[in-house]
């Protein structure tokens, strides 16, 4: 950017803002906890097909996580943060992935109203549950029980399934609008909560399902997400730009309302801080993400925000691994932000196999430096690589440089295009421009609008090339039209009269030549016929 001298011009120069990147709190106000959340180093963001509707970690090691996007469920490794497998057996957009308590099965809903149960390793559907008439947005396993499933969708009905039999056990009615979220109770597998766009959160107990919901809470806005806190007596709800904490044991009493987002809060999750010998180790926090691009960390024991991280996109989903090592965030445009925290346990587990076999003890493997776009070597990578046998060479098409008259024709400046071609004095280009104007039915109009000097250029061209056999068929007719339409201008200029006289003389001379050639042809033709008979 050019530097402006403010003393001379009196104008202030402002630096150009860089592209928005994920950013944490200011260093001057950083706390030990904010430094902890900052220690999750983001890997290069991965771009999926479309909006990431949900994220879910497996409850068993190595805690792989699933992301639903488009008509696909993609499973990632929590160790390398790379893709492991893809499940693409949905007819419509996949939603609400959820692992079973043992991590052996994965359930996911879809906009088609069907729920599918998968084996994540074999990527095959073991069950297909059909019961919802509208898109399914919420699927959840109980915390311990393996044979049942809860679900809810846009048909405003909550369903309780027996997965082992593949049958619907019960339909729960009470919501008046779309059911968008839910969570199973950590205290009892028979109880769960659901949130709806009718602004309510309902507590259900399948043992007394015929009596309706056990408790109804009004959030005050369409509920986007609802989660149980680890104790089982508190729940957190997200709707509008607020996150609220409720006491379900106390009859649904509101304990705290947090309104720190500027746009709709889209997803919640509970995160446990890992063991690092600090004052807040083994404590729980609430993660909330919003369309404003912010991730907020909320300490519900002290009722305050402990960290805030900004991302350049609208956030749709968030999840935190059970071993407190991996944090993943999904956005509305399909970008997955996955971050992993380096711990002593992780670094000690990465050892060289050679040290084990020789007997000298474990040897740390050298850490590989990841190439990033901020490094110069990032742009030089692969230039010295030799192509393999199956590689294809992809070349860019050469950019066509357009002439001035072509540019004017693209802009529909017809007269200017004709004049530009006449000034360039290339007969092929001039005739090509004239043919294009004839196809556009604009040639006579252009001739009528030519100035005297421009008309002189045209007549000079016609005088020179009208008798050439290559162009004569078009130019002779054009010369006649020019004389008919611009006779007054030609009579008023001696120079233009000279062009017409020369053109007339050349045409007459050409006619005499043609007549002589025809006479010669008439004498030679009988001789050629006689010679052909012999």
């Amino acid at each position: 950017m050019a530097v402006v001298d403010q003393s001379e011009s009196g104008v202030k120069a402002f630096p150009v803002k860089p592209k928005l990147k994920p950013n944490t709190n200011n260093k001057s106000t950083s706390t030990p906890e904010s430094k902890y959340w900052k220690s999750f180093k983001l890997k290069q963001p991965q771009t999926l097909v479309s909006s990431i509707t949900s994220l879910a970690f497996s409850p068993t090691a190595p805690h792989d996580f699933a992301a639903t996007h488009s008509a696909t469920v993609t499973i990632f490794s929590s160790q390398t943060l790379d893709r492991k497998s893809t499940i693409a057996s949905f007819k419509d957009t996949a939603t609400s992935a959820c692992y079973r308590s043992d991590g052996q099965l994965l359930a996911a809903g879809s906009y088609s109203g069907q729920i599918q149960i998968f084996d994540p390793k074999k990527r095959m559907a073991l069950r297909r549950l059909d019961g919802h008439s509208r898109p399914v947005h919420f699927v959840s396993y109980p915390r311990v029980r393996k044979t049942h499933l809860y679900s809810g969708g846009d048909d405003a009905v909550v369903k309780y399934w027996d997965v082992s039999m593949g049958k619907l056990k019960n339909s729960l009615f009470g919501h008046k609008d779309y059911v968008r979220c839910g969570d199973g109770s950590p205290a009892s597998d028979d109880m769960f909560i659901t949130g709806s766009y009718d602004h309510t959160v309902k507590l259900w107990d399948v043992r007394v399902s015929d009596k309706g919901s056990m408790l109804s809470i009004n959030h005050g806005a369409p509920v986007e997400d609802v989660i149980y806190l680890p104790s089982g007596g508190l729940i957190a709800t997200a709707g509008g730009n607020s996150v609220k904490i409720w006491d379900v044991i106390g009859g649904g009493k509101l304990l705290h309302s947090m309104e720190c987002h500027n746009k709709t809060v889209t997803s919640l999750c509970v995160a446990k801080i890992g063991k690092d010998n600090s004052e807040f180790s083994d404590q729980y926090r609430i993660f909330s993400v919003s369309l404003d691009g912010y991730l907020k960390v909320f300490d519900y024991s002290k009722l305050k925000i402990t960290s805030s991280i900004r991302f350049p996109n609208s956030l749709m989903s968030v999840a935190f691994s059970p071993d407190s090592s991996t944090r993943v965030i999904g956005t509305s445009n399909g970008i997955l932000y996955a971050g992993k925290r380096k711990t002593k346990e992780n670094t000690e587990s990465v050892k060289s196999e050679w040290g084990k076999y020789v007997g000298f003890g474990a040897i740390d493997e050298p850490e590989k430096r990841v190439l990033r776009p901020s490094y110069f070597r990032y742009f030089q990578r692969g230039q010295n690589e030799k192509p393999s046998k199956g590689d294809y060479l992809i070349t860019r098409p050469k950019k066509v440089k357009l002439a001035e008259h072509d540019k004017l024709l693209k802009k529909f400046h017809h007269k200017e295009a004709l004049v530009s071609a006449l000034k360039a004095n290339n007969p092929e280009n001039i005739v090509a421009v004239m043919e294009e104007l004839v196809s556009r039915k604009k040639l006579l109009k252009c001739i009528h609008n030519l100035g005297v000097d421009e008309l002189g250029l045209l007549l000079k061209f016609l005088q020179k090339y009208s008798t050439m056999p290559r162009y004569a068929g078009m130019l002779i007719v054009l010369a006649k039209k020019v004389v008919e339409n611009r006779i007054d201008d030609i009579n008023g200029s001696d120079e233009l009269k000279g062009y017409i006289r020369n053109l007339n003389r050349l045409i007459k001379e050409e006619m005499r030549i043609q007549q002589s050639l025809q006479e010669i042809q008439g004498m030679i033709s009988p001789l050629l016929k006689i010679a052909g008979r012999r």
Side-chain angles (χ1 to χ4, degrees):
M1 182 182 71
V3 179
V4 181
D5 190 355
Q6 298 182 13
S7 60
E8 294 181 0
S9 63
V11 180
K12 293 183 179 181
F14 298 95
V16 177
K17 292 184 179 180
K19 186 178 180 181
L20 189 62
K21 296 181 179 179
N23 188 20
T24 56
N25 285 339
N26 194 350
K27 292 182 180 180
S28 61
T29 60
S30 62
T31 61
E33 184 170 343
S34 65
K35 291 180 181 179
Y36 174 83
W37 297 118
K38 186 179 178 181
S39 65
F40 286 83
K41 302 298 182 183
L42 289 176
K43 189 186 176 183
Q44 187 72 18
Q46 300 192 42
T47 303
L48 304 181
V49 177
S50 62
S51 176
I52 302 173
T53 55
S54 70
L55 294 164
F57 275 93
S58 172
T60 58
H63 303 295
D64 295 336
F65 64 93
T68 59
H69 58 95
S70 183
T72 306
V73 176
T74 303
I75 300 175
F76 294 83
S77 169
S78 64
Q79 304 300 317
T80 61
L81 304 182
D82 293 328
R83 302 187 192 193
K84 291 184 65 176
S85 60
T86 300
I87 302 172
S89 63
F90 295 90
K91 298 179 181 178
D92 208 332
T93 303
T95 60
S96 185
C98 179
Y99 277 94
R100 199 170 69 175
S101 58
D102 58 358
Q104 297 297 317
L105 294 181
L106 174 68
S110 69
Y111 281 8
S112 64
Q114 187 181 73
I115 302 171
Q116 298 191 47
I117 314 298
F118 298 97
D119 182 347
K121 295 181 180 179
K122 298 181 180 179
R123 296 182 297 172
M124 57 183 297
L126 305 179
R127 288 282 190 275
R128 287 184 171 88
L129 307 178
D130 295 306
H132 287 279
S133 59
R134 302 289 295 277
V136 177
H137 289 278
F138 147 59
V139 176
S140 178
Y141 275 103
R143 297 297 175 99
V144 179
R145 190 178 299 166
K146 301 178 182 179
T147 58
H148 292 82
L149 193 72
Y150 314 114
S151 67
D154 287 354
D155 54 5
V157 181
V158 179
K159 295 184 180 294
Y160 183 56
W161 303 86
D162 185 342
V163 179
S164 60
M165 301 296 293
K167 295 181 179 180
L168 175 66
K169 290 197 67 175
N170 205 348
S171 294
L172 308 176
F173 300 91
H175 285 294
K176 299 178 181 179
D177 206 338
Y178 301 158
V179 179
R180 305 293 288 195
C181 52
D183 193 19
S185 171
S188 173
D189 284 346
D190 295 315
M191 301 176 65
F192 62 98
I193 51 175
T194 56
S196 170
Y197 273 9
D198 61 4
H199 300 194
T200 64
V201 175
K202 294 186 181 295
L203 173 64
W204 306 90
D205 190 336
V206 295
R207 293 168 295 186
V208 290
S209 58
D210 55 333
K211 297 181 181 180
S213 62
M214 303 297 295
L215 179 67
S216 181
I217 299 171
N218 190 346
H219 179 84
V223 181
E224 297 288 346
D225 202 2
V226 58
I227 56 172
Y228 265 105
L229 300 186
S231 64
L234 303 178
I235 63 171
T237 60
N241 64 343
S242 64
V243 177
K244 297 181 179 181
I245 310 296
W246 306 84
D247 182 3
V248 293
I249 297 178
K253 180 182 178 181
L254 177 63
L255 300 180
H256 183 71
S257 178
M258 174 183 62
E259 298 181 357
C260 58
H261 288 283
N262 297 323
K263 294 183 180 180
T264 301
V265 182
T266 53
S267 182
L268 300 174
C269 80
V270 176
K272 181 182 178 181
I273 299 177
K275 298 179 181 180
D276 57 353
N277 298 324
S278 62
E279 59 180 359
F280 48 86
S281 296
D282 291 332
Q283 294 184 13
Y284 291 93
R285 300 289 185 265
I286 297 176
F287 278 177
S288 65
V289 294
S290 168
L291 296 179
D292 60 6
Y294 277 89
L295 165 68
K296 303 287 185 178
V297 182
F298 181 65
D299 183 357
Y300 59 90
S301 63
K302 298 179 180 179
L303 302 179
K304 68 175 184 179
I305 300 293
T306 58
S307 182
S308 178
I309 304 175
R310 182 185 64 187
F311 291 83
N313 308 101
S314 298
L315 308 182
M316 296 296 293
S317 52
V318 61
F320 197 73
S321 64
D323 60 357
S324 307
S325 65
T326 309
R327 180 192 67 204
V328 289
I329 299 170
T331 68
S332 60
N333 57 352
I335 297 177
L336 181 68
Y337 293 104
K340 193 170 182 64
R341 183 173 182 265
K342 292 183 179 180
T343 60
K344 292 182 180 180
E345 292 80 1
N346 292 337
T347 55
E348 289 177 359
S349 63
V350 182
K351 303 295 181 179
S352 172
E353 295 294 331
W354 175 255
K356 295 179 181 179
Y357 292 127
V358 174
F360 295 114
I363 302 174
D364 293 341
E365 292 185 357
E367 185 178 338
K368 294 183 180 180
R369 189 177 182 184
V370 180
L371 287 179
R372 303 182 185 278
S374 58
Y375 300 155
F376 175 74
R377 289 191 299 113
Y378 177 85
F379 299 96
Q380 301 295 322
R381 67 193 191 285
Q383 293 190 3
N384 297 326
E385 293 290 334
K386 294 182 179 180
S388 59
K389 185 176 180 180
D391 289 344
Y392 291 91
L393 178 63
I394 301 176
T395 58
R396 293 181 179 179
K398 294 183 179 180
K399 189 176 181 180
V400 179
K401 188 175 181 181
L402 298 178
E404 184 66 24
H405 59 267
D406 289 324
K407 295 178 181 178
L408 292 170
L409 284 173
K410 289 183 69 175
K411 297 178 181 179
F412 300 96
H413 296 169
H414 301 119
K415 189 193 81 170
E416 291 78 2
L418 179 59
V419 173
S420 175
L422 290 170
K423 289 181 179 179
N425 200 22
N426 186 331
E428 293 182 357
N429 291 340
I430 296 172
V431 174
V433 171
M434 290 179 176
E435 290 176 347
E436 178 64 23
L437 293 177
V438 169
S439 64
R440 298 187 185 188
K441 300 180 181 180
K442 297 292 182 181
L443 182 57
L444 295 180
K445 185 176 180 180
C446 292
I447 293 171
H448 185 74
N449 294 331
L450 290 176
V452 176
D453 295 336
E454 297 166 348
L455 182 60
L457 291 173
L458 178 59
L459 291 176
K460 184 178 179 181
F461 171 75
L462 293 174
Q463 168 199 322
K464 188 173 181 180
Y465 294 101
S466 292
T467 56
M468 292 184 63
R470 185 177 180 182
Y471 310 119
M474 178 179 181
L475 297 185
I476 293 294
V477 178
L478 178 61
K480 182 179 179 182
K481 295 291 184 181
V482 171
V483 174
E484 291 176 355
N485 286 276
R486 303 300 298 269
I487 187 64
D488 295 334
D489 295 320
I490 294 173
N491 290 333
S493 172
D494 294 335
E495 183 180 3
L496 299 181
K497 287 182 180 178
Y499 290 138
I500 296 299
R501 283 195 298 269
N502 293 337
L503 178 59
N504 187 29
R505 176 177 53 81
L506 290 173
I507 290 175
K508 290 181 178 179
E509 183 178 351
E510 182 68 22
M511 291 175 65
R512 286 195 299 270
I513 293 173
Q514 293 294 333
Q515 187 176 2
S516 300
L517 291 174
Q518 287 180 355
E519 292 175 356
I520 295 173
Q521 184 180 7
M523 290 186 293
I524 294 176
S525 294
L527 297 177
L528 293 175
K529 288 183 180 181
I530 295 171
R533 291 173 183 175
R534 293 181 181 179

